[in-house]
Amino acid sequence: EQLASIGADVICIQETHINNSRSIAKEIAAQLNFDFVYDVDVSPSHIDGKFRLGNSIISKIALEHVTDAYYPYPEFELRFPNGSLAKSRHDKMVQVYEYEGFMVCNTQMLPLELFGHSYVEGEGKKLANEIESILIKNLSSPLIFCGDFNYNNPSEAYPIFVNKLGLKDTLPDGVTRPNLKGRNASPDHILVTEQFTCVT
């Protein structure tokens, strides 16, 4: 109901569920009467073992596929706060599409802070630098870049990329992921280049 009330032309979804018989993105698209669904199956689901997780773009208009660029996986250990080792590998990536001369991109990144690391220091910073190189190589202006970056301030983690394209965050400054333990965060962002104006 909220998506229908917005009247969007393109919607980017992260951690959508996909298997051989179902696509949650396709089900949402059908309810909204959107004709185009761009599903990418990325990694096993930690929520429901019958599905895999992916990124999806649903759209009223046909988008031209450019690439699906996968990020490097950390070479360091990922341990949960209780000390247990993350056993399942969850790859992350960015979908890159074009429409009439501008890019529409959709991403999700690993929640490094959950595993005691940061995108702005130590081994996590090296990973951020590698991700930044992929973004610079594959994304260009004009650009609308949506995603769960799993970091509150992408301009800190990817300063060269953000500055090169002059990206501005269009989402209001506020919590986008509350949780029961009070660790409120703002990992979700919609970054745009100067050609776009945010209207609320």
mmCIF file with all atom_site columns, all heavy atoms in Angstrom, residues 129-155:
data_model
loop_
_atom_site.group_PDB
_atom_site.id
_atom_site.type_symbol
_atom_site.label_atom_id
_atom_site.label_alt_id
_atom_site.label_comp_id
_atom_site.label_asym_id
_atom_site.label_entity_id
_atom_site.label_seq_id
_atom_site.pdbx_PDB_ins_code
_atom_site.Cartn_x
_atom_site.Cartn_y
_atom_site.Cartn_z
_atom_site.occupancy
_atom_site.B_iso_or_equiv
_atom_site.pdbx_formal_charge
_atom_site.auth_seq_id
_atom_site.auth_comp_id
_atom_site.auth_asym_id
_atom_site.auth_atom_id
_atom_site.pdbx_PDB_model_num
ATOM 1   N N   . ASN A 1 129 ? 38.152 -0.009 0.085   1.00 0.00 ? 129 ASN A N   1
ATOM 2   C CA  . ASN A 1 129 ? 38.921 0.503  -1.048  1.00 0.00 ? 129 ASN A CA  1
ATOM 3   C C   . ASN A 1 129 ? 38.717 -0.356 -2.297  1.00 0.00 ? 129 ASN A C   1
ATOM 4   O O   . ASN A 1 129 ? 38.614 0.157  -3.413  1.00 0.00 ? 129 ASN A O   1
ATOM 5   C CB  . ASN A 1 129 ? 40.407 0.553  -0.700  1.00 0.00 ? 129 ASN A CB  1
ATOM 6   C CG  . ASN A 1 129 ? 40.729 1.615  0.337   1.00 0.00 ? 129 ASN A CG  1
ATOM 7   O OD1 . ASN A 1 129 ? 39.938 2.524  0.581   1.00 0.00 ? 129 ASN A OD1 1
ATOM 8   N ND2 . ASN A 1 129 ? 41.883 1.493  0.967   1.00 0.00 ? 129 ASN A ND2 1
ATOM 9   N N   . GLU A 1 130 ? 38.643 -1.678 -2.101  1.00 0.00 ? 130 GLU A N   1
ATOM 10  C CA  . GLU A 1 130 ? 38.419 -2.581 -3.225  1.00 0.00 ? 130 GLU A CA  1
ATOM 11  C C   . GLU A 1 130 ? 37.014 -2.399 -3.793  1.00 0.00 ? 130 GLU A C   1
ATOM 12  O O   . GLU A 1 130 ? 36.815 -2.401 -5.020  1.00 0.00 ? 130 GLU A O   1
ATOM 13  C CB  . GLU A 1 130 ? 38.640 -4.024 -2.781  1.00 0.00 ? 130 GLU A CB  1
ATOM 14  C CG  . GLU A 1 130 ? 40.090 -4.327 -2.405  1.00 0.00 ? 130 GLU A CG  1
ATOM 15  C CD  . GLU A 1 130 ? 40.269 -5.695 -1.766  1.00 0.00 ? 130 GLU A CD  1
ATOM 16  O OE1 . GLU A 1 130 ? 39.241 -6.330 -1.419  1.00 0.00 ? 130 GLU A OE1 1
ATOM 17  O OE2 . GLU A 1 130 ? 41.418 -6.130 -1.601  1.00 0.00 ? 130 GLU A OE2 1
ATOM 18  N N   . ILE A 1 131 ? 36.028 -2.235 -2.913  1.00 0.00 ? 131 ILE A N   1
ATOM 19  C CA  . ILE A 1 131 ? 34.651 -1.986 -3.355  1.00 0.00 ? 131 ILE A CA  1
ATOM 20  C C   . ILE A 1 131 ? 34.582 -0.659 -4.103  1.00 0.00 ? 131 ILE A C   1
ATOM 21  O O   . ILE A 1 131 ? 33.940 -0.548 -5.152  1.00 0.00 ? 131 ILE A O   1
ATOM 22  C CB  . ILE A 1 131 ? 33.689 -1.991 -2.148  1.00 0.00 ? 131 ILE A CB  1
ATOM 23  C CG1 . ILE A 1 131 ? 33.584 -3.399 -1.568  1.00 0.00 ? 131 ILE A CG1 1
ATOM 24  C CG2 . ILE A 1 131 ? 32.315 -1.454 -2.546  1.00 0.00 ? 131 ILE A CG2 1
ATOM 25  C CD1 . ILE A 1 131 ? 32.809 -3.472 -0.266  1.00 0.00 ? 131 ILE A CD1 1
ATOM 26  N N   . GLU A 1 132 ? 35.261 0.355  -3.555  1.00 0.00 ? 132 GLU A N   1
ATOM 27  C CA  . GLU A 1 132 ? 35.262 1.670  -4.193  1.00 0.00 ? 132 GLU A CA  1
ATOM 28  C C   . GLU A 1 132 ? 35.806 1.595  -5.620  1.00 0.00 ? 132 GLU A C   1
ATOM 29  O O   . GLU A 1 132 ? 35.266 2.232  -6.533  1.00 0.00 ? 132 GLU A O   1
ATOM 30  C CB  . GLU A 1 132 ? 36.085 2.648  -3.358  1.00 0.00 ? 132 GLU A CB  1
ATOM 31  C CG  . GLU A 1 132 ? 36.051 4.073  -3.888  1.00 0.00 ? 132 GLU A CG  1
ATOM 32  C CD  . GLU A 1 132 ? 36.714 5.039  -2.932  1.00 0.00 ? 132 GLU A CD  1
ATOM 33  O OE1 . GLU A 1 132 ? 37.899 4.814  -2.574  1.00 0.00 ? 132 GLU A OE1 1
ATOM 34  O OE2 . GLU A 1 132 ? 36.045 6.005  -2.520  1.00 0.00 ? 132 GLU A OE2 1
ATOM 35  N N   . SER A 1 133 ? 36.845 0.800  -5.837  1.00 0.00 ? 133 SER A N   1
ATOM 36  C CA  . SER A 1 133 ? 37.408 0.646  -7.181  1.00 0.00 ? 133 SER A CA  1
ATOM 37  C C   . SER A 1 133 ? 36.383 0.050  -8.142  1.00 0.00 ? 133 SER A C   1
ATOM 38  O O   . SER A 1 133 ? 36.289 0.459  -9.304  1.00 0.00 ? 133 SER A O   1
ATOM 39  C CB  . SER A 1 133 ? 38.654 -0.248 -7.135  1.00 0.00 ? 133 SER A CB  1
ATOM 40  O OG  . SER A 1 133 ? 39.689 0.373  -6.400  1.00 0.00 ? 133 SER A OG  1
ATOM 41  N N   . ILE A 1 134 ? 35.584 -0.893 -7.659  1.00 0.00 ? 134 ILE A N   1
ATOM 42  C CA  . ILE A 1 134 ? 34.541 -1.508 -8.482  1.00 0.00 ? 134 ILE A CA  1
ATOM 43  C C   . ILE A 1 134 ? 33.451 -0.493 -8.811  1.00 0.00 ? 134 ILE A C   1
ATOM 44  O O   . ILE A 1 134 ? 32.970 -0.423 -9.948  1.00 0.00 ? 134 ILE A O   1
ATOM 45  C CB  . ILE A 1 134 ? 33.961 -2.740 -7.762  1.00 0.00 ? 134 ILE A CB  1
ATOM 46  C CG1 . ILE A 1 134 ? 35.011 -3.851 -7.729  1.00 0.00 ? 134 ILE A CG1 1
ATOM 47  C CG2 . ILE A 1 134 ? 32.671 -3.223 -8.425  1.00 0.00 ? 134 ILE A CG2 1
ATOM 48  C CD1 . ILE A 1 134 ? 34.667 -5.008 -6.831  1.00 0.00 ? 134 ILE A CD1 1
ATOM 49  N N   . LEU A 1 135 ? 33.079 0.318  -7.822  1.00 0.00 ? 135 LEU A N   1
ATOM 50  C CA  . LEU A 1 135 ? 32.054 1.342  -8.052  1.00 0.00 ? 135 LEU A CA  1
ATOM 51  C C   . LEU A 1 135 ? 32.539 2.362  -9.078  1.00 0.00 ? 135 LEU A C   1
ATOM 52  O O   . LEU A 1 135 ? 31.794 2.746  -9.989  1.00 0.00 ? 135 LEU A O   1
ATOM 53  C CB  . LEU A 1 135 ? 31.693 2.031  -6.739  1.00 0.00 ? 135 LEU A CB  1
ATOM 54  C CG  . LEU A 1 135 ? 31.076 1.141  -5.654  1.00 0.00 ? 135 LEU A CG  1
ATOM 55  C CD1 . LEU A 1 135 ? 30.824 1.953  -4.388  1.00 0.00 ? 135 LEU A CD1 1
ATOM 56  C CD2 . LEU A 1 135 ? 29.795 0.477  -6.136  1.00 0.00 ? 135 LEU A CD2 1
ATOM 57  N N   . ILE A 1 136 ? 33.767 2.821  -8.937  1.00 0.00 ? 136 ILE A N   1
ATOM 58  C CA  . ILE A 1 136 ? 34.324 3.808  -9.869  1.00 0.00 ? 136 ILE A CA  1
ATOM 59  C C   . ILE A 1 136 ? 34.382 3.235  -11.288 1.00 0.00 ? 136 ILE A C   1
ATOM 60  O O   . ILE A 1 136 ? 34.086 3.936  -12.266 1.00 0.00 ? 136 ILE A O   1
ATOM 61  C CB  . ILE A 1 136 ? 35.720 4.262  -9.402  1.00 0.00 ? 136 ILE A CB  1
ATOM 62  C CG1 . ILE A 1 136 ? 35.591 5.103  -8.122  1.00 0.00 ? 136 ILE A CG1 1
ATOM 63  C CG2 . ILE A 1 136 ? 36.436 5.055  -10.493 1.00 0.00 ? 136 ILE A CG2 1
ATOM 64  C CD1 . ILE A 1 136 ? 36.916 5.414  -7.454  1.00 0.00 ? 136 ILE A CD1 1
ATOM 65  N N   . LYS A 1 137 ? 34.725 1.969  -11.404 1.00 0.00 ? 137 LYS A N   1
ATOM 66  C CA  . LYS A 1 137 ? 34.851 1.331  -12.717 1.00 0.00 ? 137 LYS A CA  1
ATOM 67  C C   . LYS A 1 137 ? 33.503 1.166  -13.415 1.00 0.00 ? 137 LYS A C   1
ATOM 68  O O   . LYS A 1 137 ? 33.399 1.296  -14.638 1.00 0.00 ? 137 LYS A O   1
ATOM 69  C CB  . LYS A 1 137 ? 35.524 -0.032 -12.561 1.00 0.00 ? 137 LYS A CB  1
ATOM 70  C CG  . LYS A 1 137 ? 35.662 -0.812 -13.860 1.00 0.00 ? 137 LYS A CG  1
ATOM 71  C CD  . LYS A 1 137 ? 36.324 -2.158 -13.627 1.00 0.00 ? 137 LYS A CD  1
ATOM 72  C CE  . LYS A 1 137 ? 36.402 -2.978 -14.919 1.00 0.00 ? 137 LYS A CE  1
ATOM 73  N NZ  . LYS A 1 137 ? 37.015 -4.311 -14.687 1.00 0.00 ? 137 LYS A NZ  1
ATOM 74  N N   . ASN A 1 138 ? 32.443 0.866  -12.650 1.00 0.00 ? 138 ASN A N   1
ATOM 75  C CA  . ASN A 1 138 ? 31.177 0.449  -13.247 1.00 0.00 ? 138 ASN A CA  1
ATOM 76  C C   . ASN A 1 138 ? 30.056 1.485  -13.211 1.00 0.00 ? 138 ASN A C   1
ATOM 77  O O   . ASN A 1 138 ? 29.091 1.358  -13.967 1.00 0.00 ? 138 ASN A O   1
ATOM 78  C CB  . ASN A 1 138 ? 30.678 -0.830 -12.566 1.00 0.00 ? 138 ASN A CB  1
ATOM 79  C CG  . ASN A 1 138 ? 31.528 -2.028 -12.886 1.00 0.00 ? 138 ASN A CG  1
ATOM 80  O OD1 . ASN A 1 138 ? 31.436 -2.593 -13.968 1.00 0.00 ? 138 ASN A OD1 1
ATOM 81  N ND2 . ASN A 1 138 ? 32.380 -2.421 -11.948 1.00 0.00 ? 138 ASN A ND2 1
ATOM 82  N N   . LEU A 1 139 ? 30.159 2.510  -12.357 1.00 0.00 ? 139 LEU A N   1
ATOM 83  C CA  . LEU A 1 139 ? 29.077 3.478  -12.205 1.00 0.00 ? 139 LEU A CA  1
ATOM 84  C C   . LEU A 1 139 ? 29.523 4.843  -12.705 1.00 0.00 ? 139 LEU A C   1
ATOM 85  O O   . LEU A 1 139 ? 30.666 5.249  -12.494 1.00 0.00 ? 139 LEU A O   1
ATOM 86  C CB  . LEU A 1 139 ? 28.650 3.581  -10.736 1.00 0.00 ? 139 LEU A CB  1
ATOM 87  C CG  . LEU A 1 139 ? 27.695 2.502  -10.217 1.00 0.00 ? 139 LEU A CG  1
ATOM 88  C CD1 . LEU A 1 139 ? 28.263 1.116  -10.379 1.00 0.00 ? 139 LEU A CD1 1
ATOM 89  C CD2 . LEU A 1 139 ? 27.353 2.766  -8.747  1.00 0.00 ? 139 LEU A CD2 1
ATOM 90  N N   . SER A 1 140 ? 28.607 5.550  -13.346 1.00 0.00 ? 140 SER A N   1
ATOM 91  C CA  . SER A 1 140 ? 28.938 6.870  -13.865 1.00 0.00 ? 140 SER A CA  1
ATOM 92  C C   . SER A 1 140 ? 27.732 7.787  -13.791 1.00 0.00 ? 140 SER A C   1
ATOM 93  O O   . SER A 1 140 ? 26.600 7.348  -13.580 1.00 0.00 ? 140 SER A O   1
ATOM 94  C CB  . SER A 1 140 ? 29.448 6.764  -15.309 1.00 0.00 ? 140 SER A CB  1
ATOM 95  O OG  . SER A 1 140 ? 28.454 6.201  -16.151 1.00 0.00 ? 140 SER A OG  1
ATOM 96  N N   . SER A 1 141 ? 27.977 9.050  -13.962 1.00 0.00 ? 141 SER A N   1
ATOM 97  C CA  . SER A 1 141 ? 26.944 10.079 -13.926 1.00 0.00 ? 141 SER A CA  1
ATOM 98  C C   . SER A 1 141 ? 26.263 10.176 -15.289 1.00 0.00 ? 141 SER A C   1
ATOM 99  O O   . SER A 1 141 ? 26.913 9.942  -16.322 1.00 0.00 ? 141 SER A O   1
ATOM 100 C CB  . SER A 1 141 ? 27.603 11.420 -13.570 1.00 0.00 ? 141 SER A CB  1
ATOM 101 O OG  . SER A 1 141 ? 26.679 12.448 -13.519 1.00 0.00 ? 141 SER A OG  1
ATOM 102 N N   . PRO A 1 142 ? 24.969 10.494 -15.306 1.00 0.00 ? 142 PRO A N   1
ATOM 103 C CA  . PRO A 1 142 ? 24.007 10.708 -14.224 1.00 0.00 ? 142 PRO A CA  1
ATOM 104 C C   . PRO A 1 142 ? 23.647 9.386  -13.545 1.00 0.00 ? 142 PRO A C   1
ATOM 105 O O   . PRO A 1 142 ? 23.549 8.358  -14.218 1.00 0.00 ? 142 PRO A O   1
ATOM 106 C CB  . PRO A 1 142 ? 22.791 11.315 -14.929 1.00 0.00 ? 142 PRO A CB  1
ATOM 107 C CG  . PRO A 1 142 ? 23.261 11.746 -16.275 1.00 0.00 ? 142 PRO A CG  1
ATOM 108 C CD  . PRO A 1 142 ? 24.375 10.825 -16.628 1.00 0.00 ? 142 PRO A CD  1
ATOM 109 N N   . LEU A 1 143 ? 23.426 9.429  -12.248 1.00 0.00 ? 143 LEU A N   1
ATOM 110 C CA  . LEU A 1 143 ? 23.295 8.203  -11.461 1.00 0.00 ? 143 LEU A CA  1
ATOM 111 C C   . LEU A 1 143 ? 22.275 8.364  -10.340 1.00 0.00 ? 143 LEU A C   1
ATOM 112 O O   . LEU A 1 143 ? 22.256 9.371  -9.635  1.00 0.00 ? 143 LEU A O   1
ATOM 113 C CB  . LEU A 1 143 ? 24.657 7.846  -10.859 1.00 0.00 ? 143 LEU A CB  1
ATOM 114 C CG  . LEU A 1 143 ? 24.701 6.733  -9.820  1.00 0.00 ? 143 LEU A CG  1
ATOM 115 C CD1 . LEU A 1 143 ? 24.359 5.387  -10.454 1.00 0.00 ? 143 LEU A CD1 1
ATOM 116 C CD2 . LEU A 1 143 ? 26.077 6.681  -9.166  1.00 0.00 ? 143 LEU A CD2 1
ATOM 117 N N   . ILE A 1 144 ? 21.445 7.334  -10.180 1.00 0.00 ? 144 ILE A N   1
ATOM 118 C CA  . ILE A 1 144 ? 20.629 7.127  -8.979  1.00 0.00 ? 144 ILE A CA  1
ATOM 119 C C   . ILE A 1 144 ? 21.105 5.809  -8.390  1.00 0.00 ? 144 ILE A C   1
ATOM 120 O O   . ILE A 1 144 ? 21.007 4.760  -9.035  1.00 0.00 ? 144 ILE A O   1
ATOM 121 C CB  . ILE A 1 144 ? 19.125 7.066  -9.304  1.00 0.00 ? 144 ILE A CB  1
ATOM 122 C CG1 . ILE A 1 144 ? 18.654 8.365  -9.954  1.00 0.00 ? 144 ILE A CG1 1
ATOM 123 C CG2 . ILE A 1 144 ? 18.321 6.779  -8.035  1.00 0.00 ? 144 ILE A CG2 1
ATOM 124 C CD1 . ILE A 1 144 ? 17.214 8.319  -10.447 1.00 0.00 ? 144 ILE A CD1 1
ATOM 125 N N   . PHE A 1 145 ? 21.636 5.860  -7.167  1.00 0.00 ? 145 PHE A N   1
ATOM 126 C CA  . PHE A 1 145 ? 22.289 4.701  -6.549  1.00 0.00 ? 145 PHE A CA  1
ATOM 127 C C   . PHE A 1 145 ? 21.579 4.386  -5.234  1.00 0.00 ? 145 PHE A C   1
ATOM 128 O O   . PHE A 1 145 ? 21.711 5.109  -4.254  1.00 0.00 ? 145 PHE A O   1
ATOM 129 C CB  . PHE A 1 145 ? 23.759 5.033  -6.313  1.00 0.00 ? 145 PHE A CB  1
ATOM 130 C CG  . PHE A 1 145 ? 24.615 3.863  -5.901  1.00 0.00 ? 145 PHE A CG  1
ATOM 131 C CD1 . PHE A 1 145 ? 24.204 2.558  -6.068  1.00 0.00 ? 145 PHE A CD1 1
ATOM 132 C CD2 . PHE A 1 145 ? 25.874 4.083  -5.363  1.00 0.00 ? 145 PHE A CD2 1
ATOM 133 C CE1 . PHE A 1 145 ? 25.003 1.485  -5.699  1.00 0.00 ? 145 PHE A CE1 1
ATOM 134 C CE2 . PHE A 1 145 ? 26.698 3.034  -4.991  1.00 0.00 ? 145 PHE A CE2 1
ATOM 135 C CZ  . PHE A 1 145 ? 26.260 1.733  -5.159  1.00 0.00 ? 145 PHE A CZ  1
ATOM 136 N N   . CYS A 1 146 ? 20.815 3.302  -5.230  1.00 0.00 ? 146 CYS A N   1
ATOM 137 C CA  . CYS A 1 146 ? 20.011 2.919  -4.063  1.00 0.00 ? 146 CYS A CA  1
ATOM 138 C C   . CYS A 1 146 ? 20.634 1.715  -3.377  1.00 0.00 ? 146 CYS A C   1
ATOM 139 O O   . CYS A 1 146 ? 21.233 0.868  -4.036  1.00 0.00 ? 146 CYS A O   1
ATOM 140 C CB  . CYS A 1 146 ? 18.595 2.541  -4.500  1.00 0.00 ? 146 CYS A CB  1
ATOM 141 S SG  . CYS A 1 146 ? 17.735 3.806  -5.437  1.00 0.00 ? 146 CYS A SG  1
ATOM 142 N N   . GLY A 1 147 ? 20.445 1.632  -2.068  1.00 0.00 ? 147 GLY A N   1
ATOM 143 C CA  . GLY A 1 147 ? 20.892 0.408  -1.435  1.00 0.00 ? 147 GLY A CA  1
ATOM 144 C C   . GLY A 1 147 ? 20.952 0.410  0.061   1.00 0.00 ? 147 GLY A C   1
ATOM 145 O O   . GLY A 1 147 ? 20.809 1.436  0.726   1.00 0.00 ? 147 GLY A O   1
ATOM 146 N N   . ASP A 1 148 ? 21.170 -0.798 0.558   1.00 0.00 ? 148 ASP A N   1
ATOM 147 C CA  . ASP A 1 148 ? 21.502 -1.015 1.963   1.00 0.00 ? 148 ASP A CA  1
ATOM 148 C C   . ASP A 1 148 ? 23.020 -1.097 2.021   1.00 0.00 ? 148 ASP A C   1
ATOM 149 O O   . ASP A 1 148 ? 23.611 -2.138 1.758   1.00 0.00 ? 148 ASP A O   1
ATOM 150 C CB  . ASP A 1 148 ? 20.859 -2.307 2.454   1.00 0.00 ? 148 ASP A CB  1
ATOM 151 C CG  . ASP A 1 148 ? 21.233 -2.639 3.889   1.00 0.00 ? 148 ASP A CG  1
ATOM 152 O OD1 . ASP A 1 148 ? 21.991 -1.860 4.508   1.00 0.00 ? 148 ASP A OD1 1
ATOM 153 O OD2 . ASP A 1 148 ? 20.782 -3.682 4.395   1.00 0.00 ? 148 ASP A OD2 1
ATOM 154 N N   . PHE A 1 149 ? 23.640 0.035  2.332   1.00 0.00 ? 149 PHE A N   1
ATOM 155 C CA  . PHE A 1 149 ? 25.098 0.115  2.355   1.00 0.00 ? 149 PHE A CA  1
ATOM 156 C C   . PHE A 1 149 ? 25.681 -0.481 3.638   1.00 0.00 ? 149 PHE A C   1
ATOM 157 O O   . PHE A 1 149 ? 26.883 -0.634 3.770   1.00 0.00 ? 149 PHE A O   1
ATOM 158 C CB  . PHE A 1 149 ? 25.546 1.568  2.207   1.00 0.00 ? 149 PHE A CB  1
ATOM 159 C CG  . PHE A 1 149 ? 25.323 2.141  0.837   1.00 0.00 ? 149 PHE A CG  1
ATOM 160 C CD1 . PHE A 1 149 ? 24.050 2.510  0.405   1.00 0.00 ? 149 PHE A CD1 1
ATOM 161 C CD2 . PHE A 1 149 ? 26.377 2.304  -0.044  1.00 0.00 ? 149 PHE A CD2 1
ATOM 162 C CE1 . PHE A 1 149 ? 23.836 3.035  -0.858  1.00 0.00 ? 149 PHE A CE1 1
ATOM 163 C CE2 . PHE A 1 149 ? 26.181 2.820  -1.313  1.00 0.00 ? 149 PHE A CE2 1
ATOM 164 C CZ  . PHE A 1 149 ? 24.899 3.189  -1.730  1.00 0.00 ? 149 PHE A CZ  1
ATOM 165 N N   . ASN A 1 150 ? 24.817 -0.770 4.604   1.00 0.00 ? 150 ASN A N   1
ATOM 166 C CA  . ASN A 1 150 ? 25.247 -1.291 5.897   1.00 0.00 ? 150 ASN A CA  1
ATOM 167 C C   . ASN A 1 150 ? 26.331 -0.423 6.534   1.00 0.00 ? 150 ASN A C   1
ATOM 168 O O   . ASN A 1 150 ? 27.239 -0.911 7.195   1.00 0.00 ? 150 ASN A O   1
ATOM 169 C CB  . ASN A 1 150 ? 25.696 -2.755 5.775   1.00 0.00 ? 150 ASN A CB  1
ATOM 170 C CG  . ASN A 1 150 ? 24.530 -3.694 6.041   1.00 0.00 ? 150 ASN A CG  1
ATOM 171 O OD1 . ASN A 1 150 ? 23.842 -3.569 7.051   1.00 0.00 ? 150 ASN A OD1 1
ATOM 172 N ND2 . ASN A 1 150 ? 24.295 -4.624 5.137   1.00 0.00 ? 150 ASN A ND2 1
ATOM 173 N N   . TYR A 1 151 ? 26.223 0.871  6.280   1.00 0.00 ? 151 TYR A N   1
ATOM 174 C CA  . TYR A 1 151 ? 27.093 1.857  6.913   1.00 0.00 ? 151 TYR A CA  1
ATOM 175 C C   . TYR A 1 151 ? 26.370 3.190  6.893   1.00 0.00 ? 151 TYR A C   1
ATOM 176 O O   . TYR A 1 151 ? 25.733 3.543  5.893   1.00 0.00 ? 151 TYR A O   1
ATOM 177 C CB  . TYR A 1 151 ? 28.441 1.964  6.175   1.00 0.00 ? 151 TYR A CB  1
ATOM 178 C CG  . TYR A 1 151 ? 29.465 2.759  6.943   1.00 0.00 ? 151 TYR A CG  1
ATOM 179 C CD1 . TYR A 1 151 ? 30.058 2.214  8.076   1.00 0.00 ? 151 TYR A CD1 1
ATOM 180 C CD2 . TYR A 1 151 ? 29.801 4.054  6.572   1.00 0.00 ? 151 TYR A CD2 1
ATOM 181 C CE1 . TYR A 1 151 ? 30.982 2.944  8.810   1.00 0.00 ? 151 TYR A CE1 1
ATOM 182 C CE2 . TYR A 1 151 ? 30.727 4.787  7.298   1.00 0.00 ? 151 TYR A CE2 1
ATOM 183 C CZ  . TYR A 1 151 ? 31.313 4.227  8.419   1.00 0.00 ? 151 TYR A CZ  1
ATOM 184 O OH  . TYR A 1 151 ? 32.207 4.956  9.144   1.00 0.00 ? 151 TYR A OH  1
ATOM 185 N N   . ASN A 1 152 ? 26.425 3.915  7.985   1.00 0.00 ? 152 ASN A N   1
ATOM 186 C CA  . ASN A 1 152 ? 25.628 5.135  8.114   1.00 0.00 ? 152 ASN A CA  1
ATOM 187 C C   . ASN A 1 152 ? 26.031 6.234  7.144   1.00 0.00 ? 152 ASN A C   1
ATOM 188 O O   . ASN A 1 152 ? 25.193 7.022  6.714   1.00 0.00 ? 152 ASN A O   1
ATOM 189 C CB  . ASN A 1 152 ? 25.714 5.675  9.549   1.00 0.00 ? 152 ASN A CB  1
ATOM 190 C CG  . ASN A 1 152 ? 24.922 4.828  10.532  1.00 0.00 ? 152 ASN A CG  1
ATOM 191 O OD1 . ASN A 1 152 ? 24.286 3.849  10.160  1.00 0.00 ? 152 ASN A OD1 1
ATOM 192 N ND2 . ASN A 1 152 ? 24.977 5.201  11.800  1.00 0.00 ? 152 ASN A ND2 1
ATOM 193 N N   . ASN A 1 153 ? 27.322 6.306  6.813   1.00 0.00 ? 153 ASN A N   1
ATOM 194 C CA  . ASN A 1 153 ? 27.803 7.422  5.997   1.00 0.00 ? 153 ASN A CA  1
ATOM 195 C C   . ASN A 1 153 ? 28.694 6.916  4.859   1.00 0.00 ? 153 ASN A C   1
ATOM 196 O O   . ASN A 1 153 ? 29.915 6.808  5.016   1.00 0.00 ? 153 ASN A O   1
ATOM 197 C CB  . ASN A 1 153 ? 28.573 8.419  6.866   1.00 0.00 ? 153 ASN A CB  1
ATOM 198 C CG  . ASN A 1 153 ? 28.886 9.705  6.139   1.00 0.00 ? 153 ASN A CG  1
ATOM 199 O OD1 . ASN A 1 153 ? 28.716 9.805  4.922   1.00 0.00 ? 153 ASN A OD1 1
ATOM 200 N ND2 . ASN A 1 153 ? 29.358 10.704 6.870   1.00 0.00 ? 153 ASN A ND2 1
ATOM 201 N N   . PRO A 1 154 ? 28.117 6.610  3.699   1.00 0.00 ? 154 PRO A N   1
ATOM 202 C CA  . PRO A 1 154 ? 28.922 6.103  2.585   1.00 0.00 ? 154 PRO A CA  1
ATOM 203 C C   . PRO A 1 154 ? 30.041 7.038  2.146   1.00 0.00 ? 154 PRO A C   1
ATOM 204 O O   . PRO A 1 154 ? 31.058 6.575  1.627   1.00 0.00 ? 154 PRO A O   1
ATOM 205 C CB  . PRO A 1 154 ? 27.894 5.933  1.460   1.00 0.00 ? 154 PRO A CB  1
ATOM 206 C CG  . PRO A 1 154 ? 26.585 5.801  2.142   1.00 0.00 ? 154 PRO A CG  1
ATOM 207 C CD  . PRO A 1 154 ? 26.688 6.658  3.368   1.00 0.00 ? 154 PRO A CD  1
ATOM 208 N N   . SER A 1 155 ? 29.877 8.337  2.357   1.00 0.00 ? 155 SER A N   1
ATOM 209 C CA  . SER A 1 155 ? 30.929 9.268  1.929   1.00 0.00 ? 155 SER A CA  1
ATOM 210 C C   . SER A 1 155 ? 32.198 9.087  2.747   1.00 0.00 ? 155 SER A C   1
ATOM 211 O O   . SER A 1 155 ? 33.286 9.469  2.308   1.00 0.00 ? 155 SER A O   1
ATOM 212 C CB  . SER A 1 155 ? 30.438 10.715 2.022   1.00 0.00 ? 155 SER A CB  1
ATOM 213 O OG  . SER A 1 155 ? 30.171 11.074 3.362   1.00 0.00 ? 155 SER A OG  1
#
